[in-house]
Amino acid sequence: MKLEAEIKNIKKILVDDENFFQIPDYQRPYSWDKENISDLIDDLLTAFQRNNDEHYFCGSLVLVDNKSDNRYDIIDGQQRITTFTIIACVFRELFGVSLGKKASKYISNSIQDEYEEDKRKLKFLTNEKYQIDFEETVLKRISFVETKNIEKTFPDNKYLQNAHYIRQFLKERVEQDNINIEDFVIWFYESVVLTSITCPSQDSAIQIFNVLNDRGMPLSSIDILKSTLMSKLSSKEDRTAFKTKWELINSNLKFSELEIDNMLNTYLYYKISSNPKNRLDKELIDVFTKEEKSSLEIIKEISDFSDAFILMSNQEDKYIYCLRYLRHKIYWNSILTTAIFEKYSHIEKLKELMVAYYYQNWVAGATVARIKQTSFNVLKLVKINAAIEKIVEEFKTNIDKYSTTKTFKESIESSSVYGRKWDRAILLLIEYFSSDEDKNNFIPLGPKLHLEHILPQTLTKTWEETFSAEEILEWTNSISNLTLLSLRKNVQAKNNSFQEKKLAYKNKDNVSTSYIITQQILEEENWNVQSLKDRKIKLLDKVYSKTLLFN
């Protein structure tokens, strides 16, 4: 058997009767989370709305034909194939009765064999529990429940968690954009494609996997953009000038520990103020063609924009520090770089509003789809130097539409702040604004930064005498019981008594903690329910002073 590579749609991969797949026992467990699901659903629906007559490429699938099991072993692509299967099951539960024969058959046959109901298209060999969870809670039937905390409701079942996220994100976008679900389901199976590579052996499959994931990549869209712009210059002197300018841009970015692809993507968002439909080079060349600018004019603008990007990225600014913790950096990056580039009149107020808006959405669990269009609208307003009141109105309209503030406050005031993706970022926001100094050093979310439970998770007798079981459940993982420590201080504090913890915070090894919010705890004589209530008020006051700006 030779290596075979082909572009295949999901219909051909999952629906066709002869294809059955399994995850080998040496593979890692399924690991996609809420953010992966949010990005995928948003990308799929955006592609369907904008380019539903084109294929949407969704990566590679590396397989080995396992003759002994009559299935294909998935060497690379298990996260996507598993997620596609979960999406099919969600389609079945949400829309099954309203879909036509074609869409319904696609869904059913991508989950199980058309003629053998118990023969599933995908199964796991990694762990018997995973297969049982997948089979009983997703493949057979999904019993959806209404819950505010999906991960807490299904702590050990990633498949069921993601089924609930898929349902949530699908329903939100379908209702918001009035999407024809019949057309979308058919498009999903017929137009979402992967590069399917079937290998003769496991060794050859792993070799292909390593090549696909190696740093040695083909010509990038940035290389194509550079080449295209240079080709439009007729004289050798102009091409030399362009090349010199390009290399200077790249050098300045690297000196600032920034990447040219991040800068150019930010520049693309500045130019089009909307979601890109194609590769960076195609999008920008289309823009430049419409503007009728020469390549030397273009490289001058890119250079000036790059300078603004570097200036924005290197600012010693508390608000920008807070924004740097956000996952979807492109939106705030493009808005603030544009503000600097266009010399926006109200940039300081703009930064305050952006921290308030993006943090409310982050803590409230909003998807990228919810913030995307508002970000583009604000970007457009900044480009025309609109009044700051217009931007306040834009943010507020979005916040009010989804009742974001209500969910934000419920999340941050809850008993389960610890373990959320934003827990350290919220405490760092409080930390930055606990000082009156204009400039602070940026604190990275690295392994040296730890969240300390003042009332420890593992209790000694002293703590159990101070707190009841109900109080422990209510307060242990709340914001008022959390503080910041360095790695060394965290190890020193351990699960000790409060007095011993204070010694570790203060002067263990003659080194005091550097965090203001932790130093403030040293003022407490004891740590009890009243201490927690008082600290909660102080912390929330600081958070709300920076985030509740749209009421």
Side-chain angles (χ1 to χ4, degrees):
M1 176 186 173
K2 297 180 180 179
L3 184 148
E4 298 176 358
E6 183 182 350
I7 301 292
K8 294 182 179 180
N9 60 20
I10 295 180
K11 174 184 175 296
K12 195 165 187 179
I13 293 169
L14 282 177
V15 178
D16 287 358
D17 285 337
E18 66 269 21
N19 295 332
F20 296 88
F21 304 92
Q22 63 189 15
I23 312 298
D25 55 7
Y26 52 80
Q27 289 276 34
R28 289 176 295 177
Y30 178 60
S31 62
W32 270 23
D33 59 14
K34 178 182 179 180
E35 291 177 343
N36 299 122
I37 296 298
S38 172
D39 288 347
L40 176 64
I41 297 299
D42 182 60
D43 287 347
L44 289 172
L45 287 165
T46 299
F48 169 70
Q49 289 177 283
R50 294 179 182 273
N51 302 294
N52 62 11
D53 57 340
E54 296 182 8
H55 286 142
Y56 174 77
F57 180 69
C58 207
S60 59
L61 182 64
V62 179
L63 308 169
V64 174
D65 190 356
N66 189 323
K67 301 292 186 183
S68 62
D69 292 339
N70 292 319
R71 286 181 178 267
Y72 290 101
D73 288 345
I74 300 178
I75 307 302
D76 183 38
Q78 77 143 302
Q79 305 294 332
R80 287 182 291 275
I81 293 301
T82 304
T83 304
F84 290 154
T85 304
I86 298 172
I87 288 173
C89 295
V90 175
F91 281 159
R92 178 191 63 200
E93 307 298 346
L94 284 187
F95 312 112
V97 295
S98 62
L99 295 174
K101 186 175 180 180
K102 182 178 183 180
S104 296
K105 187 171 182 179
Y106 281 173
I107 292 169
S108 177
N109 289 2
S110 66
I111 299 169
Q112 62 193 42
D113 181 75
E114 183 174 4
Y115 305 105
E116 296 181 51
E117 186 175 337
D118 294 333
K119 188 176 182 181
R120 307 301 186 187
K121 284 300 183 78
L122 176 65
K123 72 175 185 177
F124 297 89
L125 303 181
T126 48
N127 187 302
E128 186 178 357
K129 178 186 182 304
Y130 299 143
Q131 179 59 34
I132 293 172
D133 285 348
F134 193 44
E135 175 82 20
E136 297 298 325
T137 65
V138 177
L139 293 179
K140 285 185 178 179
R141 182 176 179 273
I142 305 172
S143 296
F144 289 115
V145 300
E146 298 304 323
T147 175
K148 291 182 179 179
N149 192 327
I150 291 171
E151 293 178 22
K152 192 173 181 180
T153 305
F154 311 108
D156 302 315
N157 190 331
K158 188 68 82 171
Y159 315 107
L160 193 52
Q161 284 180 22
N162 286 346
H164 278 74
Y165 286 130
I166 291 165
R167 179 185 71 153
Q168 175 185 325
F169 302 149
L170 267 178
K171 287 179 67 177
E172 186 174 290
R173 280 292 298 276
V174 168
E175 292 169 5
Q176 174 183 306
D177 297 341
N178 196 27
I179 290 170
N180 184 309
I181 196 65
E182 176 94 18
D183 292 344
F184 175 66
V185 169
I186 292 172
W187 174 88
F188 172 76
Y189 282 101
E190 295 183 351
S191 297
V192 177
V193 300
L194 298 92
T195 302
S196 178
I197 304 172
T198 305
C199 304
S201 67
Q202 179 180 306
D203 288 343
S204 61
I206 292 173
Q207 185 179 6
I208 291 293
F209 170 78
N210 290 333
V211 169
L212 288 173
N213 288 276
D214 191 55
R215 296 285 298 191
M217 294 188 174
L219 200 64
S220 71
S221 59
I222 295 173
D223 297 321
I224 296 170
L225 175 66
K226 176 185 174 184
S227 176
T228 303
L229 291 174
M230 285 186 67
S231 69
K232 296 180 183 295
L233 296 169
S234 55
S235 73
K236 181 179 179 181
E237 291 79 9
D238 285 348
R239 287 195 295 274
T240 300
F242 182 98
K243 185 178 179 181
T244 301
K245 195 72 169 176
W246 183 281
E247 290 174 352
L248 181 61
I249 292 168
N250 203 10
S251 176
N252 288 340
L253 287 164
K254 287 184 176 179
F255 182 78
S256 298
E257 298 183 348
L258 301 169
E259 299 290 339
I260 192 169
D261 57 341
N262 291 336
M263 183 277 293
L264 284 173
N265 274 298
T266 305
Y267 176 70
L268 171 61
Y269 274 61
Y270 158 72
K271 296 298 285 185
I272 65 175
S273 301
S274 63
N275 208 52
K277 300 177 184 178
N278 293 303
R279 290 195 325 263
L280 179 143
D281 58 297
K282 292 181 69 175
E283 290 276 4
L284 283 176
I285 292 300
D286 286 346
V287 171
F288 298 148
T289 301
K290 291 173 184 175
E291 291 180 343
E292 297 183 345
K293 288 183 178 179
S294 72
S295 294
L296 291 180
E297 289 175 311
I298 291 166
I299 195 64
K300 172 64 168 62
E301 182 176 271
I302 291 175
S303 176
D304 292 342
F305 188 87
S306 180
D307 290 342
F309 179 78
I310 292 170
L311 179 60
M312 184 279 298
S313 301
N314 290 336
Q315 280 190 8
E316 295 180 346
D317 184 282
K318 297 176 183 180
Y319 290 99
I320 292 179
Y321 290 167
C322 291
L323 292 170
R324 284 172 67 177
Y325 301 128
L326 298 169
R327 181 166 183 257
H328 301 287
K329 300 179 186 297
I330 187 65
Y331 300 111
W332 70 264
N333 253 323
S334 56
I335 292 171
L336 280 188
T337 303
T338 297
I340 293 172
F341 182 66
E342 295 287 357
K343 298 180 174 59
Y344 182 61
S345 304
H346 310 285
I347 191 167
E348 295 305 317
K349 185 62 178 178
L350 175 65
K351 287 187 286 192
E352 294 178 22
L353 294 171
M354 289 172 67
V355 167
Y357 174 73
Y358 288 115
Y359 267 69
Q360 277 206 42
N361 275 280
W362 187 16
V363 173
T367 64
V368 65
R370 192 181 293 183
I371 66 170
K372 182 183 294 185
Q373 190 54 54
T374 296
S375 299
F376 290 139
N377 293 343
V378 170
L379 179 55
K380 292 172 186 175
L381 290 170
V382 170
K383 284 175 71 172
I384 62 173
N385 202 20
I388 195 67
E389 290 77 15
K390 289 283 187 183
I391 292 176
V392 172
E393 182 183 347
E394 187 65 41
F395 282 139
K396 188 176 187 306
T397 298
N398 182 266
I399 290 282
D400 292 345
K401 178 179 179 180
Y402 296 103
S403 301
T404 305
T405 299
K406 179 177 180 292
T407 312
F408 163 74
K409 293 179 73 174
E410 288 173 352
S411 296
I412 210 161
E413 293 176 16
S414 76
S415 60
S416 56
V417 167
Y418 178 72
R420 304 290 186 94
K421 293 183 184 298
W422 42 264
D423 53 9
R424 289 187 296 171
I426 281 291
L427 287 176
L428 285 168
L429 180 149
I430 298 168
E431 174 71 18
Y432 289 133
F433 293 103
S434 294
S435 166
D436 293 330
E437 295 180 14
D438 291 334
K439 294 183 179 179
N440 295 74
N441 292 325
F442 176 68
I443 305 171
L445 294 177
K448 294 182 180 180
L449 177 69
H450 281 254
L451 272 190
E452 156 78 349
H453 286 78
I454 306 164
L455 165 64
Q457 293 174 294
T458 303
L459 299 175
T460 60
K461 185 177 180 180
T462 304
W463 287 108
E464 290 175 339
E465 291 172 349
T466 307
F467 292 89
S468 69
E470 292 78 12
E471 290 167 344
I472 290 168
L473 188 64
E474 179 180 357
W475 292 104
T476 301
N477 292 316
S478 68
I479 191 171
S480 51
N481 191 51
L482 302 175
T483 194
L484 299 169
L485 283 182
S486 65
L487 173 60
R488 180 171 65 171
K489 288 290 178 187
N490 184 261
V491 170
Q492 291 169 352
K494 295 183 180 178
N495 300 318
N496 294 329
S497 70
F498 183 60
Q499 300 306 321
E500 290 171 315
K501 280 177 174 281
K502 284 173 62 176
L503 287 175
Y505 301 164
K506 185 177 181 180
N507 58 12
K508 188 81 170 179
D509 297 337
N510 296 316
V511 177
S512 181
T513 178
S514 59
Y515 300 109
I516 296 171
I517 62 171
T518 307
Q519 292 173 5
Q520 292 168 346
I521 297 167
L522 300 176
E523 300 170 8
E524 300 288 336
E525 288 295 325
N526 298 292
W527 198 248
N528 51 37
V529 170
Q530 190 58 50
S531 306
L532 287 160
K533 288 179 178 178
D534 293 343
R535 188 166 187 260
K536 184 173 187 177
I537 292 170
K538 291 176 184 177
L539 296 185
L540 291 180
D541 281 349
K542 185 66 69 175
V543 173
Y544 291 160
S545 71
K546 299 302 174 184
T547 54
L548 300 186
L549 304 184
F550 307 110
N551 297 339

